[in-house]
């Protein structure tokens, strides 16, 4: 909730500044700080949400696999480290985004407006390729974690329902499955909408670009 709140705050701050006071973005290092902070909170939001979905799946789903049983027993102790790792990894992403944009700005100091500044920062030069693929991997990996958590939890719920069909008693495990599925599916819907909107925005923004840039943006 905190990471999502601050992610939305920095999104609104950037939109407000770019629309009302666009030339403030030319003041060093406002643009870099906004982009770096947004990247940090957005990445943190994605990974914390993915960790929460995995926690629901491991805590509630029932599988007899030895690895799954080990995770089920130790998941409570692993959660703080997962959250700390997500925050630290997101901080690294934010710092890399800040550094990359700052290098692009330093190479192009003759801006006449925010549009030229933004075009300079999204130029896919060779040194920016690792960052592009790293961020793309972060988005894809967290999205896949949510999908796998939803699929495993749904399969566990279906299997558990089959074993309880002959019983008319209210089953607490079934209720826990259903509540967890609602949360995980809500995250899945959020990720899907975010992905579709990002894809449409990229296609619209790069319809005049060459096909290689378009493919890289779609991957991102």
């Amino acid at each position: 909730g905190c990471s999502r709140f601050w992610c939305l705050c920095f999104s609104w701050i950037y939109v407000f500044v770019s629309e009302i006071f666009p030339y403030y973005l030319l003041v060093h290092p406002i643009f870099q700080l906004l982009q770096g902070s947004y990247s940090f909170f957005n990445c943190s939001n994605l990974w914390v949400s993915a960790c929460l979905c995995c926690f629901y799946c491991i805590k509630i789903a029932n599988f007899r696999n030895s690895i799954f049983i080990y995770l089920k027993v130790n998941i409570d102790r692993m959660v703080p480290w997962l959250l700390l790792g997500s925050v630290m990894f997101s901080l690294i992403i934010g710092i890399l985004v800040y550094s990359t944009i700052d290098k692009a700005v330093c190479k192009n100091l003759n801006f006449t407006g925010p549009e030229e500044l933004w075009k300079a920062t999204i130029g896919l030069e060779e040194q920016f390729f690792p960052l592009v693929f790293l961020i793309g991997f972060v988005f894809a990996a967290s999205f896949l974690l949510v999908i796998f958590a939803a699929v495993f939890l749904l399969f566990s719920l279906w299997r558990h329902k089959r074993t309880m069909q002959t019983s008319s008693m209210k089953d607490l495990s079934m209720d826990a499955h259903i509540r967890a599925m609602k949360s995980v599916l809500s995250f899945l819907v959020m990720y899907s909408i975010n992905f579709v909107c990002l894809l449409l925005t990229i296609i619209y923004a790069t319809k005049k670009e060459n096909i290689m840039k378009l493919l890289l943006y779609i991957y991102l």
Side-chain angles (χ1 to χ4, degrees), residues 19-216:
E19 295 295 332
I20 308 299
F21 306 106
Y23 288 95
Y24 280 12
L25 295 178
L26 301 178
V27 179
H28 187 276
I30 290 179
F31 183 73
Q32 294 93 314
L33 283 175
L34 286 175
Q35 291 296 325
S37 300
Y38 173 77
S39 298
F40 165 71
F41 286 111
N42 188 38
C43 183
S44 176
N45 169 60
L46 291 174
W47 274 101
V48 170
S49 300
C51 289
L52 182 60
C53 290
C54 291
F55 174 78
Y56 279 137
C57 178
I58 293 171
K59 198 72 175 176
I60 296 173
N62 294 312
F63 296 103
R64 298 185 183 278
N65 185 276
S66 58
I67 297 177
F68 191 85
I69 294 173
Y70 172 81
L71 291 174
K72 197 177 188 72
V73 172
N74 295 280
I75 187 65
D76 290 333
R77 287 180 293 178
M78 294 169 61
V79 166
W81 295 105
L82 288 173
L83 295 178
L84 179 61
S86 299
V87 172
M88 295 303 296
F89 186 70
S90 303
L91 183 61
I92 293 173
I93 294 295
I95 292 173
L96 287 175
V97 169
Y98 178 94
S99 176
T100 302
I101 293 178
D102 193 55
K103 288 179 181 178
V105 171
C106 291
K107 286 183 179 180
N108 300 271
L109 297 178
N110 56 343
F111 302 118
T112 59
E115 294 81 7
E116 287 76 12
L117 174 63
W118 177 244
K119 289 178 182 178
T121 60
I122 63 174
L124 288 176
E125 301 177 18
E126 289 185 2
Q127 61 266 30
F128 295 166
F129 281 174
L131 180 62
V132 170
F133 280 97
L134 178 61
I135 295 176
F137 172 77
V138 168
F139 283 21
S142 58
F143 192 23
L144 286 174
L145 280 177
V146 175
I147 292 175
F148 280 122
V151 169
F152 284 132
L153 199 55
L154 187 61
F155 179 73
S156 177
L157 173 62
W158 171 76
R159 194 174 65 172
H160 184 74
K161 184 178 180 182
R162 285 186 60 189
T163 61
M164 296 300 296
Q165 281 178 344
T166 57
S167 175
S168 59
M169 297 177 63
K170 187 175 179 63
D171 182 41
L172 295 178
S173 181
M174 181 74 75
D175 292 339
H177 271 81
I178 293 174
R179 286 197 300 270
M181 276 304 304
K182 289 179 180 179
S183 298
V184 173
L185 288 177
S186 68
F187 281 119
L188 188 59
V189 169
M190 180 190 73
Y191 271 77
S192 300
I193 293 174
N194 187 29
F195 177 74
V196 171
C197 292
L198 176 64
L199 195 62
L200 292 175
T201 303
I202 288 168
I203 292 174
Y204 176 78
T206 60
K207 60 184 180 180
K208 294 183 180 179
E209 300 285 349
N210 61 57
I211 188 65
M212 190 60 191
K213 285 187 177 181
L214 178 60
L215 290 175
L216 284 172

